[in-house]
Amino acid sequence: RRNINELIQRISSQFRKELTDTTVDRKELDEKIKKCIQSEIEKFPASYEEKRRLEKLAIANIIGLGPIQPLLDNPEITEIVVQRYDNIVVEKNGKIFSTKTVFSDEQALQNVINRILQPVGRAVNLSTPKVDARLEDGSRVNAIMPPLALGGTTITIRKFSKKPLSVENLKQFGSLSDDMAEFLEAAVRGKLNIL
């Protein structure tokens, strides 16, 4: 574990400038980094399967979204809050849970934030220490770094369900009564101005 963390930090440092440069061709850079990772992983005294696992881990940490990728992929998780690089909590089924997930350091967290923001043409840095944006899937992202964030860089990702809420869901949650649902349905069918 220590060797893979050292490898991730070394390669991240080696490509740090290019990873945060918005003018660099990302596909070309990603391929270059993958080849570097593969070359270094082959030197590890491990089985083929272990080397592939470590390779995926390093790629996720350097050019992917790092340790939060599995959290983003989990449909049960609706919010991810990184309070510091080593303190990540999630909301699942309306409850908050701590995770064992951590970033290797503050810089790794900032790299991931900038990777998230790059497609929307934004970045978080000293001149813009607070950023609000949306991911391609509509998820809301808020990132704050020092000096505004006193305890370290913070990012919040509010995910949206792939399945939209229905009137039945709203009634089950107690957000809408039967009478309210009936009224709204009649208003929509009558093409009334809801306001």
Side-chain angles (χ1 to χ4, degrees), residues 22-51:
T22 55
T23 62
V24 170
D25 180 343
R26 277 310 300 241
K27 287 184 180 179
E28 191 176 302
L29 177 61
D30 289 355
E31 285 305 312
K32 189 175 169 183
I33 292 170
K34 283 179 187 177
K35 285 180 182 173
C36 184
I37 290 168
Q38 289 166 348
S39 171
E40 291 296 318
I41 293 288
E42 286 308 312
K43 298 174 186 174
F44 279 39
S47 68
Y48 177 82
E49 292 80 15
E50 182 65 7
K51 285 180 183 179

Side-chain angles (χ1 to χ4, degrees), residues 3-19 29-44 54-55 57-59 61-63 104 107 111 115:
N3 287 345
I4 192 65
N5 286 339
E6 286 172 2
L7 173 69
I8 290 167
Q9 286 181 336
R10 190 172 72 245
I11 293 176
S12 294
S13 296
Q14 180 181 341
F15 291 98
R16 183 162 287 147
K17 188 175 179 184
E18 292 168 274
L19 284 166
L29 177 61
D30 289 355
E31 285 305 312
K32 189 175 169 183
I33 292 170
K34 283 179 187 177
K35 285 180 182 173
C36 184
I37 290 168
Q38 289 166 348
S39 171
E40 291 296 318
I41 293 288
E42 286 308 312
K43 298 174 186 174
F44 279 39
L54 293 172
E55 184 181 321
L57 177 67
I59 289 170
N61 274 280
I62 298 170
I63 61 177
S104 55
Q107 188 60 52
N111 287 344
R115 257 182 261 136

